[in-house]
Structures are given as structure tokens and as C-alpha cells.
Amino acid sequence: MMTKQEKLRATERILEVMDTLREKCPWDREQTFESLRNNTIEETYELVDAIADNNMEGIKEELGDLLLHVVFYSKLGEEQGAFNFADVADAECDKLIYRHPHVYSDIHADTPDEVMKNWEELKLRKKKRKGGILGGVPRSLPAMVKAYRIGEKAASAGFDWEQKEDIWPKVKEEIAEIEVEMARDDKERTTEEIGDLFFALINMCRLYGIDPELALEKCNKKFISRFQHMEAEAGDKLFSEMSAEELDQLWRSAKKDEK
């Protein structure tokens, strides 16, 4: 366990390193909020990969890279006279204390769901967003993550299925609507209905406590593993030279070898 002094010294050190790099490194001197944006997104995904792999050393490294970005943006803000690292940290502390009245005040919240409900209500009351409850969902989020957050926020306001099983008729309804539009060969309407199905499935995941991103990534890895097994079994023979029956046999063999 780190002591308070060690934590403070580590924070001081990274701020000092950032000051030095900004002053003496040609690349660091040229960076702006805009130039760092894509790198920040990339670093976030690298952290997600490390978490998915349960790679503790990787998680530590990627967290450091993300911390560097926080420090870097804070340095840019300081140079522009807008804010500094202390402002960022203090503002976040104030926000966390405000949004945790069950810890810092006399409000009761005994379950994670109650905590989330209070959290969303407090955010809406504090910021009075023009977009309302859904106004805080970042526009740049990947569509799947965004859909999940939209469902969470709507549910926190009381707009949700009464029973989780109630989602299934909606899923079946959306599948039927896709079939109708496909039969009409209406690509625009089919695209819209497929989006509705995705949204319903993501909400189904939310209701059943399943991470849709994790579920899809597991499927991706499984497919890659099976496909690579098929390639190895096929040897020099191209898939395009093989019959459907031969490919199906390779696929079945790949599935069997997983067990």
C-alpha cells in the first residue's frame, strides 16, 4: 500500500516530467487538444484490450498512458489560462462528493441500482442539460456503447420494461419487421429496422446483466480461432476451390476441436 507521501510524490513527478517535455521536446511542444484527440481514443482502446485479456501489467501501462493524456490536456489548459491539473482534480472531487450523497450526506442508497438512479437525477438537476436525461451521452461514443448508455439512462428515469422477459416480444417484433422490409427490397427501411433490432438486443443484454461489447468480442475471437483452424486444415487449397460441403466439414472440425 502506497503512503500518502508516495502518492503525492508520484503526482508531482509526472507533472514535472510533463513540464520538461513541453519545454524541451519538439514533438510535445507542437501538440494541441485537437492533435492529441485521436491518440487519446487509441490509448483508451488499448486499455480496454488489456482489461479484456486480464493483463495486469498491460492495464498498469495503459493507465499510465491515459494519465499522461490527462496531464497533457491539463498542461495545455494551464498554458491557455483556462484550467490546470489541480482544477481538474478538484472539480472531479467536488463532482464525486455531490453525486455520492449516500456516502457524504444522509441520503440512503443500499443497492447499485439505487446509486445509479440517484447519480442520474443529481447530474440532471445540477447541469440542467438542454438535452435532458440523454444529453450527457457523448456523441462520439461507438454506436454499441452509446446504445447501452442510452438504455441505462432511460431506465434510470423510470422508462424501462417492467420485467426483463418483456424484451423478447420486442426482439421478435423487430426481426419480423426486418423480414418484411427485406421482402420489399427497401434497403433504407431494412437498415433502419436492423438498427432497431440491434438496439433491442443491446437492451436485452442490459436487462440480463450481459456486456454486449464483451459478448461480441468473444464471438469475434471464437470465429477467428475457428477460421484459422479451417485454413490450417485446408493447407494449400483455397476456400474458393472447395465445395460448400467441404467448408462445412472444416467448420465442424474446428468447432469439435474447441471442446
Side-chain angles (χ1 to χ4, degrees):
M1 183 70 69
M2 289 182 64
T3 66
K4 183 177 181 180
Q5 288 73 23
E6 288 173 330
K7 293 176 183 179
L8 291 174
R9 179 54 195 151
T11 303
E12 290 175 356
R13 186 183 179 201
I14 194 170
L15 293 174
E16 290 168 357
V17 168
M18 184 72 259
D19 288 343
T20 300
L21 293 178
R22 187 66 174 168
E23 177 185 352
K24 298 182 178 180
C25 174
W27 186 87
D28 287 289
R29 279 201 304 263
E30 291 184 354
Q31 300 314 303
T32 65
F33 286 104
E34 291 75 20
S35 69
L36 290 173
R37 177 179 178 272
N38 288 338
N39 287 342
T40 305
I41 295 171
E42 181 179 342
E43 295 295 353
T44 302
Y45 278 110
E46 290 179 358
L47 172 60
V48 171
D49 285 345
I51 293 172
D53 293 337
N54 195 31
N55 180 353
M56 290 297 125
E57 188 63 29
I59 292 172
K60 181 186 75 173
E61 180 179 348
E62 300 306 337
L63 283 172
D65 290 342
L66 271 182
L67 176 60
L68 171 62
H69 280 248
V70 173
V71 171
F72 211 143
Y73 288 125
S74 298
K75 180 64 177 177
L76 296 174
E78 181 179 353
E79 291 172 354
Q80 297 180 22
F83 59 86
N84 57 34
F85 182 82
D87 296 328
V88 171
D90 283 335
E92 185 62 23
C93 289
D94 291 342
K95 183 191 298 183
L96 288 171
I97 292 170
Y98 173 77
R99 292 181 183 174
H100 288 77
H102 53 287
V103 176
Y104 293 97
S105 186
D106 56 358
I107 301 297
H108 294 288
D110 297 324
T111 68
D113 287 342
E114 290 176 349
V115 171
M116 289 303 300
K117 186 174 185 298
N118 287 340
W119 179 282
E120 295 297 342
E121 289 178 352
L122 287 167
K123 283 199 295 185
L124 185 61
R125 186 180 306 131
K126 177 80 173 184
K127 294 190 174 183
K128 297 181 180 179
R129 288 193 181 96
K130 186 177 181 180
I133 291 171
L134 302 182
V137 179
R139 296 188 306 275
S140 298
L141 277 179
M144 181 179 290
V145 179
K146 184 187 293 186
Y148 195 95
R149 290 294 291 132
I150 289 170
E152 281 186 326
K153 286 181 174 290
S156 72
F159 187 73
D160 203 1
W161 284 269
E162 292 186 6
Q163 306 282 340
K164 62 183 180 182
E165 294 81 7
D166 295 341
I167 187 67
W168 291 110
K170 183 62 176 175
V171 170
K172 295 174 182 177
E173 174 190 328
E174 298 300 348
I175 293 173
E177 290 177 356
I178 291 172
E179 293 175 340
V180 169
E181 299 306 334
M182 282 187 168
R184 292 174 177 167
D185 198 25
D186 188 330
K187 187 173 182 179
E188 183 175 348
R189 288 287 299 161
T190 299
T191 300
E192 182 178 338
E193 297 301 341
I194 289 174
D196 290 345
L197 175 60
F198 281 152
F199 192 78
L201 288 171
I202 290 168
N203 272 287
M204 178 270 292
C205 289
R206 175 181 60 80
L207 290 166
Y208 281 84
I210 296 169
D211 182 340
E213 185 75 24
L214 179 60
L216 183 57
E217 181 56 21
K218 284 186 175 182
C219 178
N220 290 339
K221 289 181 177 179
K222 181 169 58 178
F223 184 88
I224 290 170
S225 175
R226 291 176 180 176
F227 196 83
Q228 290 174 339
H229 182 283
M230 291 173 65
E231 289 179 312
E233 287 292 314
D236 295 333
K237 196 171 183 180
L238 299 177
F239 284 177
S240 59
E241 299 171 347
M242 304 175 72
S243 67
E245 290 76 14
E246 288 175 308
L247 290 172
D248 184 63
Q249 185 177 355
L250 287 177
W251 180 259
R252 291 178 183 274
S253 174
K255 290 177 65 176
K256 182 179 179 181
D257 282 359
E258 287 178 347
K259 300 176 181 178

